[in-house]
Amino acid sequence: MLKNSSKWPVVMSVVLAAGTLLAGCGGSGDNADNGDSAKNQTGATQTPAVEEKPKTIKVVVNNGSRKYPEGMDANNNPYIKYVREHAKVDVQLVTPPADAYQEKLSVMMASGDLPDLLYTNDANWLVNYVNQKALQPLDDVLNQYGSDLKKLIPQEAWDHVTINGKIYAIPVINQIPGNEIMYVRKDWLNKLGLSEPKTLEEYVNVMKAFVEKDPDGNGKNDTVGLVAMENLQRTGPFMGAFGIQRNQWHEKDGQLVNSSIQPEMKSALEFLAGLYKDKLLDQEWALNKQKNLEEKVASGKAGLFSAAWYDTRGPIETNKQNDPKAEWVPLEYPVGSTGKAGSVGLNPVKGYNVIPATSKNADAAVKMLNFIIGEGQRTMGLGFENEIWSMKDGKFTMNFEEHNKHIYRLTLGELVLPKEFLKDKNDALGMQFRLNENIDRILKSPIKTQFLGTPTAAMGKYGVKLDKMESETFTKIVMGVAPVSDFDKFVEEWKKQGGDEIAKEVNDWYKSNKK
């Protein structure tokens, strides 16, 4: 691993008072002294033991816009009560808005009003604050209170958060290798006499037909060819047709190079810009957040998109309920002119739990996470047994209504995850949703980065700025606001503004770890 130097506004948490629990440990009644104390055989007074009052910790998490049942909220529900009781920690959650979560974290760090634990999914953010000495190393507290964390999180994940020889985050691992899988409305294809697309050209023909030939039959020009999201999210399979994904590192001529500045990326952006110019790509894509994309799928405005593997239980299922004629099927990834195909492969680590240097409660924070990944993992992941799930005749069964009602439990339940993925749970949620089948499809062709080391010091220094520059440039090119030739200017600036320094550190790691 590399040796380095040095992604929630501020919300006041509500602190619940925890009563002090007393447990007597004196002798029998024969030794009682007016009930006030007990004496041992030598006559020494024994003071009744007092169980330590649970520490209160403020934890900042991304709730992902999950809703709570009526009368409940982040700090008043049976699952957080379960964690408080069994972990012996008075957990108080702060849940900034999901859409601006990472920005809120930075505001919080600058304010000085810091929590005891916070979650981010931004590796550059992590390294930046390690460099500023704003985060605590966690080795000692993990050794004392994190036995299940150390046992159930694989070593490659710990390596990813070890900087200058010290652990600075409790990693959240990716249990699956990727997220995106293509889905299309088969009933629309049938109505328009189209086959399931395989090549990039065939995909474009489907988009064109979905825009121009009124696939929903309502007589209006209101359907989109391909729906995507801001910052070019959900376009991974189309970049994969060019053999590329954003911000990864791949070997070329014996060196690791950043995918975002390669000629193949320029070609992918030119293709997407063509889709937008021809009105085959949703004209609102740059404003679409996840909620907007899901609404367009659910309402029948979109019949082709790169779905998350679990969207068959979400917007696709809602669309089928709204329109019983709707039939959705998975597709193979689009194949480009050179025969390449695939979607973005995820890194081993997808998030980071960090403890600010100002916190005096690192022990309690680690105790909470250790309970969630260990003794509490099944309940926090699946729900309470015999309420949400049960075993009948040796088979796992799920109460879908209760599962959906209490899905908020994952806000805490997914803060830490073991390597093993619960395939039984996916099947129990409904074989018709094809959840495990979707994951198996993704397993076939993820495009993965070859840099697996700890985020480097230069990433922490320049990464946020470079990511913003990339996002702005790529968005302008695809929307036609800037010419494709601006990609070359972006590459030059990327290198000058820290990219070359990052590349050197990445290749130093590569040389020392190459087999």
Side-chain angles (χ1 to χ4, degrees):
M1 73 193 69
L2 282 177
K3 290 188 178 257
N4 300 334
S5 56
S6 58
K7 265 182 155 321
W8 313 46
V10 179
V11 180
M12 292 293 291
S13 66
V14 179
V15 180
L16 300 182
T20 302
L21 301 178
L22 302 179
C25 66
S28 68
D30 293 338
N31 292 327
D33 182 14
N34 298 323
D36 296 324
S37 62
K39 295 181 180 179
N40 60 22
Q41 292 180 350
T42 65
T45 300
Q46 291 182 314
T47 302
V50 179
E51 185 173 322
E52 184 178 352
K53 181 179 180 180
K55 284 188 175 182
T56 297
I57 61 171
K58 183 165 74 171
V59 178
V60 181
V61 292
N62 190 336
N63 184 43
S65 299
R66 297 182 179 103
K67 299 185 182 302
Y68 292 88
E70 185 176 356
M72 297 184 190
D73 57 39
N75 287 298
N76 178 31
N77 64 75
Y79 289 93
I80 195 168
K81 292 177 182 177
Y82 169 77
V83 172
R84 289 170 181 158
E85 178 183 352
H86 291 273
K88 308 298 185 187
V89 178
D90 181 19
V91 183
Q92 298 297 316
L93 295 186
V94 177
T95 57
D99 287 343
Y101 180 80
Q102 196 60 37
E103 291 84 351
K104 303 304 182 184
L105 287 191
S106 296
V107 171
M108 184 176 292
M109 293 297 289
S111 73
D113 181 17
L114 302 180
D116 297 293
L117 179 79
L118 56 81
Y119 166 85
T120 177
N121 63 357
D122 189 333
N124 294 326
W125 186 98
L126 165 68
V127 178
N128 180 38
Y129 283 105
V130 170
N131 290 346
Q132 295 183 40
K133 302 187 185 305
L135 304 177
Q136 294 186 31
L138 304 176
D139 302 77
D140 291 342
V141 72
L142 279 167
N143 287 334
Q144 190 168 0
Y145 301 106
S147 58
D148 285 333
L149 289 165
K150 297 184 70 175
K151 178 174 65 176
L152 297 172
I153 296 175
Q155 186 60 44
E156 65 174 350
W158 291 114
D159 291 344
H160 188 73
V161 296
T162 301
I163 303 172
N164 287 337
K166 294 184 180 296
I167 295 172
Y168 278 93
I170 297 169
V172 187
I173 66 170
N174 270 311
Q175 294 178 309
I176 56 174
N179 190 33
E180 296 181 56
I181 176 172
M182 293 305 305
Y183 262 85
V184 70
R185 281 193 61 166
K186 176 71 169 174
D187 57 311
W188 284 12
L189 293 178
N190 293 342
K191 180 178 179 179
L192 302 178
L194 299 169
S195 300
E196 295 179 14
K198 294 183 175 63
T199 68
L200 203 56
E201 182 180 1
E202 291 170 348
Y203 266 88
V204 173
N205 291 336
V206 168
M207 295 177 206
K208 187 175 179 64
F210 282 5
V211 169
E212 298 177 353
K213 296 186 177 181
D214 191 24
D216 60 352
N218 67 354
K220 299 178 181 179
N221 184 22
D222 60 354
T223 48
V224 300
L226 175 69
V227 64
M229 290 169 57
E230 62 180 352
N231 197 23
L232 289 173
Q233 295 178 76
R234 304 296 187 97
T235 62
F238 296 95
M239 292 188 176
F242 295 87
I244 204 81
Q245 294 295 331
R246 290 175 62 181
N247 202 19
Q248 293 185 340
W249 295 87
H250 299 287
E251 185 177 18
K252 180 182 285 188
D253 301 325
Q255 296 281 317
L256 289 188
V257 296
N258 190 276
S259 58
S260 290
I261 63 171
Q262 300 308 304
E264 295 88 346
M265 182 59 69
K266 183 178 181 179
S267 297
L269 293 174
E270 186 173 18
F271 169 78
L272 293 169
L275 293 183
Y276 183 78
K277 180 180 179 181
D278 295 338
K279 294 182 169 52
L280 304 185
L281 176 62
D282 181 13
Q283 300 294 281
E284 299 175 338
W285 73 267
L287 300 175
N288 286 340
K289 299 186 183 299
Q290 182 169 323
K291 181 180 179 181
N292 305 117
L293 179 142
E294 291 176 349
E295 286 175 348
K296 290 180 179 183
V297 172
S299 65
K301 301 302 180 186
L304 175 70
F305 77 121
S306 180
W309 63 269
Y310 46 81
D311 279 349
T312 45
R313 268 197 95 244
I316 289 177
E317 177 63 14
T318 303
N319 176 241
K320 292 168 70 173
Q321 292 173 358
N322 292 336
D323 181 0
K325 299 188 300 295
E327 179 187 359
W328 289 85
V329 295
L331 297 172
E332 298 298 329
Y333 294 118
V335 180
S337 59
T338 61
K340 294 179 179 178
S343 191
V344 59
L346 300 177
N347 292 327
V349 175
K350 68 176 181 179
Y352 311 87
N353 294 289
V354 300
I355 298 178
T358 55
S359 174
K360 306 298 183 184
N361 299 316
D363 56 342
V366 170
K367 283 180 182 179
M368 178 195 72
L369 294 176
N370 193 69
F371 170 75
I372 290 173
I373 201 172
E375 181 185 342
Q377 176 60 211
R378 194 163 182 83
T379 295
M380 296 303 294
L382 300 178
F384 291 119
E385 186 174 6
N386 297 323
E387 291 183 23
I388 292 181
W389 65 276
S390 61
M391 296 296 294
K392 294 182 179 179
D393 300 323
K395 187 176 181 180
F396 186 94
T397 62
M398 179 76 73
N399 183 324
F400 301 146
E401 183 177 350
E402 288 299 309
H403 168 77
N404 293 335
K405 180 179 177 181
H406 294 283
I407 198 70
Y408 65 83
R409 68 185 182 274
L410 297 180
T411 297
L412 273 175
E414 291 184 346
L415 268 182
V416 279
L417 294 166
K419 190 172 181 63
E420 293 75 17
F421 193 79
L422 297 173
K423 298 194 75 171
D424 286 348
K425 170 190 170 184
N426 284 343
D427 286 342
L429 289 171
M431 296 295 290
Q432 72 273 24
F433 300 125
R434 301 179 170 186
L435 299 177
N436 285 319
E437 178 186 329
N438 289 342
I439 294 170
D440 289 340
R441 278 180 176 266
I442 294 170
L443 273 167
K444 294 178 181 178
S445 52
I447 300 174
K448 296 183 178 181
T449 185
Q450 290 178 257
F451 173 68
L452 301 175
T454 304
T456 73
M459 288 178 181
K461 187 175 181 181
Y462 305 113
V464 173
K465 176 179 64 177
L466 294 178
D467 287 348
K468 181 180 180 182
M469 182 170 65
E470 176 182 318
S471 176
E472 291 175 350
T473 304
F474 288 11
T475 297
K476 289 177 180 178
I477 290 174
V478 174
M479 294 189 71
V481 176
V484 177
S485 60
D486 271 14
F487 179 82
D488 301 322
K489 298 176 184 177
F490 159 74
V491 173
E492 291 180 10
E493 286 300 307
W494 186 93
K495 291 180 176 181
K496 290 178 183 177
Q497 297 191 32
D500 278 346
E501 190 173 332
I502 294 174
K504 181 184 183 305
E505 292 178 344
V506 167
N507 278 285
D508 287 344
W509 171 89
Y510 189 55
K511 289 174 185 176
S512 63
N513 287 273
K514 190 175 180 180
K515 296 179 181 179

